[in-house]
Amino acid sequence: MATGQLFSKTTQALFYNYKQLPIQRMLDFDFLCRRETPSIAGIINPGSEGFQKLFFGQEEIAIPVHLGIEAACAAHPTADVFINFASFRSAAASSMAALKQPTIRVVVIIAEGVPESDTKQLVAYAKANNKVVIGPATVGGIQAGAFKIGDTAGTIDNIIHCKLYRPGSVGFVSKSGGMSSELYNTIARVTDGIYEGIAIGGDVFPGSTLSDHVLRFNNIPQVKMVVVLGELGGRDEYSLVEALQQGKINKPVVAWVSGTCARLFKSEVQFGHAGAKSGGEMESAQAKNQALRDAGAVVPTSYEAFEGAIKETFEKLVEAGKITPVKEVVPPQIPEDLNTAIKSGKVRAPTHIITTICDERGEEPCYAGVPIFSLVEQGLGVGDVISLLWFKRSLPRYCSRFIEICIMLCADHGPCVSGAHNTIVTSRAGKDVVSCLVSGLLTIGPRFGGAIDDAARYFKDAYDRGLTPYEFVEGMKKKGIRVAGIGHRYQNLK
């Protein structure tokens, strides 16, 4: 486990499995913190590559999208955080692949339901290689004024209300992501705010523990006090008790373990998290709170008194001269999306399209003044209708017939078999045979339906390696590469 600060104002991340909203929220937070560079370096989306357009303040930026983890790490060697939004089925495999990349230092696993055996393997590998796993079943974490993971702390309004756009003096760690947002608010009310906050996740075997992060906070000079929110179930809090007893933590710790109400029920109670289930007296909230209190932590008598305990501890540090409260700053205004502003009635936008070719007033629709019934009555076709729509007048029959031929050619071949289409069009224009042939051949490329060169290259490689057809197709799928030589979209293996 790392011994100091995980993130900074220059930290960049790779985001696995494209999710527009959490990525945009990260970029909005970047703008709020006046970062010079976006915190998202690249997106990994197996099966597709290119760019995704998002907003960095008022500026629209293009973030590269990569097919795989290795390619993304090679393209962005300074990105050392891997934010994994994969489902529980593939989260472990993709997280392990990321941990094995030399550039990745922190892996955040959002998914719930990751098998415990898989998590144990990830944790063991991370510890052996001095890397950090946050999660599974986490919203991540935040370093105020510097870096935010995914949906941590919720909306921009909530982030501003909790003063997370600039660093405070409090290190905070919790098992719960939802309660983290609540505590960010509480801490902002009675102190100068959060410096760093982490939600370790609610699983039985989290990638990193409460005590791991408290020990980190103890080594960060800007963190003057620590707030911990635990819960019944498991024994993670006892490692924090042990660290306090051994004198490894020399900063004030204000802690509360939730779930004291469990004793009011006659039968065993399972709370929302997988790990929030008491397996005996030692795992009860009451026993943990007492152990923390005995070890020297500030532990209130109830959750309602938690805020007061945090406030009192902070004020004592200020009086002792150990904390100089951070001066407040005014964050920049996040530009509002046009659709949101229109819905709220803040702006009005002119229409972009005005039609002068179609008129639906009267008893029947008209195209450039010609009633639709007369088109049917005269036996006119699609080409005649298009001539009215595009040219606002009836063209000679040979013109409308030419339009229909063009439409039939496009409909039959489609854009990915454009060689044949271009050859035919060139021929209809009256060009010589060589010109017609060349116009088709010059169109052939990787997206052309035949893709002869690519098909030969891939098939020969598979043959040389002795792959079965099934192994070849599965290997191409995992790499996110479409099998060349199959030109139509419906001809693929689902």
Side-chain angles (χ1 to χ4, degrees):
M1 179 74 185
T3 57
Q5 194 162 300
L6 291 183
F7 314 116
S8 72
K9 211 163 186 174
T10 58
T11 296
Q12 285 196 302
L14 296 175
F15 198 102
Y16 188 88
N17 200 11
Y18 178 66
K19 303 285 182 185
Q20 192 270 337
L21 185 57
I23 293 178
Q24 187 59 66
R25 282 181 170 174
M26 288 180 67
L27 295 173
D28 286 345
F29 180 74
D30 296 343
F31 180 76
L32 204 65
C33 299
R34 294 185 170 91
R35 279 183 58 127
E36 293 182 4
T37 55
S39 59
I40 300 289
I43 299 165
I44 304 163
N45 204 33
S48 66
E49 62 180 333
F51 294 90
Q52 282 289 347
K53 291 197 302 180
L54 294 134
F55 284 104
F56 184 57
Q58 205 160 11
E59 178 187 358
E60 196 170 27
I61 60 173
I63 297 180
V65 179
H66 304 276
L67 288 170
I69 295 170
E70 191 172 338
C73 291
H76 310 285
T78 58
D80 59 0
V81 178
F82 183 84
I83 302 173
N84 195 346
F85 265 76
S87 70
F88 70 92
R89 290 180 292 274
S90 60
S94 49
S95 295
M96 182 60 81
L99 284 171
K100 289 181 177 179
Q101 299 300 314
T103 56
I104 297 299
R105 188 173 49 88
V106 180
V107 171
V108 184
I109 308 171
I110 306 299
E112 297 182 39
V114 177
E116 292 175 2
S117 59
D118 291 341
T119 303
K120 288 179 180 179
Q121 290 179 12
L122 292 169
V123 173
Y125 186 89
K127 285 184 177 178
N129 292 275
N130 196 31
K131 300 193 177 188
V132 178
V133 175
I134 299 174
T138 180
V139 296
I142 189 169
Q143 184 167 324
F147 180 78
K148 181 173 95 81
I149 296 169
D151 290 316
T152 298
T155 65
I156 287 295
D157 286 344
N158 191 61
I159 287 169
I160 293 173
H161 190 71
C162 296
K163 303 176 183 177
L164 295 169
Y165 47 82
R166 85 312 181 258
S169 304
V170 181
F172 171 73
V173 62
S174 165
K175 287 186 177 180
S176 169
M179 286 304 295
S180 292
S181 295
E182 179 64 31
L183 262 295
Y184 293 152
N185 188 13
T186 298
I187 291 169
R189 282 200 303 267
V190 296
T191 74
D192 63 355
I194 289 288
Y195 183 80
E196 184 183 323
I198 298 290
I200 66 169
D203 279 4
V204 179
F205 298 103
S208 52
T209 65
L210 296 173
S211 57
D212 286 338
H213 293 286
V214 173
L215 288 168
R216 272 200 316 105
F217 295 156
N218 196 63
N219 295 328
I220 300 174
Q222 297 92 328
V223 174
K224 306 300 183 182
M225 62 177 284
V226 180
V227 175
V228 179
L229 180 64
E231 63 186 19
L232 84 166
R235 303 203 174 188
D236 184 16
E237 288 81 0
Y238 287 105
S239 61
L240 179 55
V241 168
E242 187 177 329
L244 286 164
Q245 290 172 336
Q246 293 175 354
K248 293 180 179 179
I249 301 166
N250 53 30
K251 296 178 181 180
V253 175
V254 184
W256 176 253
V257 179
S258 60
T260 54
C261 65
R263 284 189 177 175
L264 300 175
F265 299 92
K266 293 181 180 179
S267 58
E268 190 177 70
V269 179
Q270 170 72 60
F271 288 86
H273 294 153
K277 180 180 180 180
S278 181
E281 176 57 29
M282 278 193 72
E283 294 188 10
S284 70
Q286 282 85 349
K288 291 181 182 181
N289 279 323
Q290 189 58 50
L292 286 164
R293 191 178 290 114
D294 293 342
V298 177
V299 181
T301 55
S302 66
Y303 179 78
E304 286 73 20
F306 198 22
E307 180 175 333
I310 297 169
K311 180 180 181 181
E312 184 180 349
T313 303
F314 178 79
E315 289 176 348
K316 285 181 179 179
L317 290 170
V318 172
E319 289 174 9
K322 294 182 178 180
I323 291 181
T324 302
V326 175
K327 292 181 180 179
E328 193 51 74
V329 297
V330 179
Q333 181 72 39
I334 298 288
E336 196 167 7
D337 290 341
L338 180 60
N339 289 339
T340 305
I342 291 173
K343 285 181 181 178
S344 63
K346 293 181 180 178
V347 297
R348 57 189 181 191
T351 55
H352 297 292
I353 298 173
I354 298 174
T355 177
T356 61
I357 56 177
C358 183
D359 190 347
E360 295 186 352
R361 293 172 296 182
E363 295 183 0
E364 61 179 313
C366 293
Y367 297 136
V370 179
I372 192 170
F373 181 75
S374 67
L375 294 172
V376 177
E377 196 173 48
Q378 296 173 44
L380 300 180
V382 173
D384 299 289
V385 173
I386 290 176
S387 71
L388 288 167
L389 291 174
W390 284 2
F391 302 103
K392 301 183 184 179
R393 61 191 177 89
S394 294
L395 296 176
R397 182 59 187 155
Y398 70 86
C399 292
S400 60
R401 177 65 180 151
F402 178 76
I403 292 172
E404 290 172 2
I405 290 172
C406 292
I407 293 171
M408 285 188 285
L409 286 174
C410 291
D412 177 49
H413 288 87
C416 291
V417 195
S418 49
H421 174 260
N422 284 359
T423 301
I424 295 169
V425 170
T426 308
S427 174
R428 297 291 298 186
K431 298 296 182 180
D432 59 274
V433 174
V434 173
S435 298
C436 297
L437 179 62
V438 169
S439 72
L441 290 173
L442 291 177
T443 313
I444 296 177
R447 292 190 61 80
F448 185 82
I452 299 169
D453 290 347
D454 277 353
R457 180 161 54 86
Y458 285 123
F459 293 168
K460 182 179 184 303
D461 177 66
Y463 179 82
D464 292 343
R465 290 190 291 144
L467 300 179
T468 65
Y470 177 80
E471 290 170 336
F472 168 65
V473 173
E474 283 298 305
M476 295 288 277
K477 278 180 64 182
K478 286 181 180 177
K479 293 175 185 175
I481 303 173
R482 290 178 177 167
V483 178
I486 301 178
H488 297 276
R489 287 185 180 276
Y490 63 83
Q491 293 176 338
N492 60 65
L493 184 64
K494 297 292 185 185

